[in-house]
Amino acid sequence: MSIKYIICKNCERTFKDEYNFCPYCGQDDKEKLTLGVLFYNTISNYFSVDARFFKSFIPLMAKPGYLPQRFVQGKRLLYLHPAQMYLFISVIFFFLFSFISRDQIEKDNSVLNEDSKPITVIDSTKINERLKKEGIEVRGITDLDSILKTQKSNDLNSDLISFDFNKVKADSLIKLNAPEADILKSMGMPDDAGFFKRKLYSQMLKLYKQRNGGSLLQGFYDSIPIAMFVLLPIFAFILKLLYYKKGSFSHHLVFSFYFFAFLFMVFSFLVFIDLVFEISFWIELLVMLSTFFYLFLAVKRFYGEGYFLSFIKSNVAAMTFLLFVAPLAAAIMFLIAFLFY
């Protein structure tokens, strides 16, 4: 009896016809593509993710540190993969967050469209230095505003960039497709302007053309998902420094994925409720503080140290991240939005 061989349509490797599945890639070679097969595969794949998500959801929210502990122990098919969990929840969060950011951008657009006041940018560092040299004490923004209105010093006024330009002339140049340098000059940009000042005028021209004050804010919002992919491994690195003997960097990354997934889930609840009802500031504060308590319990379970050390290290990790890493990332995001949007 001769043995019949067939060629797999997927990987194009030869195997015995007696096999229903390709022993190399696992594809069902005898399955014909029908509507039933198409929708069955789609739905089964979708709900297999959903089933693991819901099986992972309660431990994620109610048992801090449980999921990363189980994943590191080898239980990697029973629950949703940490990166997959993070991506799934972050998509939900940014979808809900888009409704809030859209409202904020629309408010900024309406503010820019009000032509009642000129736009003035202040180099506050230089002005404060000049005022100190002149022996003038500034106790707040009201004092500074009063001084700027009455100050006659040319040196002080040179630190102000005013955009109270002739809008008719600027509009005419824009309609004539005049060179950008001519338009910027009509807006008051000096010939000897440095890089930063030229970039500032260029950005203001872009905003003026679009009448879209929310473009910078939109750029900032658009960069948040990218920034989070950078911030997450940095948080894992902070944990690695605190627990350098507790596993490889990948262990800390698993913990960070699940913890950030928890944070995004909490933020998603807050955003969703805020879209329907107005949440009290104290409730939001209480919820935010609860995330610190969650981190403490998660660290205690995952790394297996005592309550005191876990409390100290969880607070060090959180404070380091919030006071140094997150503000630096926000500054970089604003810089990116300013330069490229």
Side-chain angles (χ1 to χ4, degrees):
M1 182 177 177
S2 61
I3 300 176
K4 185 178 178 181
Y5 289 88
I6 58 175
I7 299 175
C8 176
K9 297 175 183 177
N10 180 53
C11 66
E12 299 183 353
R13 299 181 71 172
T14 303
F15 63 94
K16 294 180 182 179
D17 184 49
E18 62 188 42
Y19 297 119
N20 291 325
F21 295 88
C22 173
Y24 301 104
C25 68
Q27 176 168 291
D28 187 348
D29 187 71
K30 296 179 172 58
E31 182 182 68
K32 294 182 178 180
L33 184 60
T34 62
L35 285 175
V37 169
L38 177 64
F39 284 104
Y40 172 77
N41 289 339
T42 303
I43 293 173
S44 63
N45 289 335
Y46 176 78
F47 281 104
S48 66
V49 173
D50 272 3
R52 285 182 292 132
F53 172 76
F54 288 115
K55 194 169 187 178
S56 308
F57 180 76
I58 294 178
L60 176 70
M61 304 303 293
K63 301 174 72 175
Y66 177 81
L67 286 181
Q69 182 185 56
R70 299 284 282 176
F71 189 86
V72 168
Q73 289 172 350
K75 305 290 184 182
R76 299 177 184 174
L77 294 179
L78 190 61
Y79 303 101
L80 198 60
H81 190 279
Q84 196 173 5
M85 170 77 83
Y86 167 78
L87 289 173
F88 186 81
I89 294 178
S90 65
V91 167
I92 295 175
F93 168 73
F94 287 113
F95 171 74
L96 294 172
F97 183 71
S98 65
F99 291 98
I100 293 179
S101 63
R102 182 180 58 191
D103 292 339
Q104 184 62 47
I105 290 168
E106 288 176 354
K107 289 179 182 178
D108 285 358
N109 291 342
S110 62
V111 169
L112 184 66
N113 287 328
E114 295 177 0
D115 295 327
S116 57
K117 294 183 179 180
I119 303 172
T120 301
V121 178
I122 303 173
D123 189 338
S124 59
T125 303
K126 291 183 179 179
I127 289 179
N128 284 330
E129 289 176 357
R130 297 274 171 80
L131 292 174
K132 285 180 181 179
K133 288 180 180 179
E134 296 180 17
I136 301 174
E137 183 181 359
V138 180
R139 292 184 297 272
I141 190 64
T142 305
D143 287 355
L144 181 59
D145 183 61
S146 176
I147 291 169
L148 291 175
K149 288 178 180 178
T150 58
Q151 184 61 246
K152 302 299 181 182
S153 170
N154 291 330
D155 291 337
L156 184 59
N157 292 332
S158 65
D159 292 324
L160 302 180
I161 302 174
S162 178
F163 293 97
D164 188 17
F165 55 90
N166 188 328
K167 296 179 177 60
V168 176
K169 182 178 179 180
D171 289 337
S172 300
L173 291 173
I174 292 171
K175 289 179 181 178
L176 292 172
N177 292 322
E180 183 176 301
D182 293 341
I183 303 174
L184 295 178
K185 191 172 182 180
S186 73
M187 294 174 66
M189 187 184 76
D191 295 332
D192 59 346
F195 171 79
F196 180 78
K197 188 175 287 189
R198 286 181 179 274
K199 189 64 183 177
L200 182 60
Y201 272 95
S202 297
Q203 285 296 110
M204 293 307 302
L205 175 59
K206 184 189 297 185
L207 297 177
Y208 180 71
K209 284 181 178 179
Q210 299 174 349
R211 301 299 196 276
N212 184 7
S215 62
L216 276 176
L217 191 61
Q218 181 65 60
F220 176 78
Y221 288 147
D222 290 343
S223 61
I224 291 178
I226 300 173
M228 294 310 300
F229 275 104
V230 178
L231 291 175
L232 192 147
I234 292 177
F235 184 77
F237 179 72
I238 295 172
L239 292 175
K240 176 64 178 175
L241 294 178
L242 293 171
Y243 297 97
Y244 60 94
K245 292 183 179 180
K246 298 282 187 177
S248 64
F249 179 74
S250 59
H251 288 67
H252 308 290
L253 198 58
V254 167
F255 179 90
S256 301
F257 269 123
Y258 279 123
F259 177 63
F260 273 65
F262 165 78
L263 290 179
F264 275 130
M265 198 70 251
V266 172
F267 296 156
S268 297
F269 282 130
L270 288 176
V271 172
F272 178 75
I273 295 173
D274 193 52
L275 289 171
V276 181
F277 310 101
E278 188 171 348
I279 308 177
S280 168
F281 166 77
W282 297 107
I283 294 178
E284 290 184 346
L285 180 62
L286 184 62
V287 172
M288 296 302 295
L289 290 176
S290 69
T291 61
F292 287 92
F293 185 68
Y294 179 97
L295 177 62
F296 159 59
L297 294 179
V299 161
K300 169 70 174 64
R301 181 194 294 269
F302 184 73
Y303 293 105
E305 292 189 340
Y307 284 100
F308 180 75
L309 279 178
S310 298
F311 179 78
I312 296 298
K313 290 185 178 182
S314 62
N315 276 276
V316 169
M319 291 300 106
T320 303
F321 185 79
L322 291 176
L323 296 180
F324 298 101
V325 179
L328 178 61
I332 294 173
M333 288 158 61
F334 268 117
L335 180 61
I336 292 173
F338 177 76
L339 292 176
F340 300 104
Y341 283 83

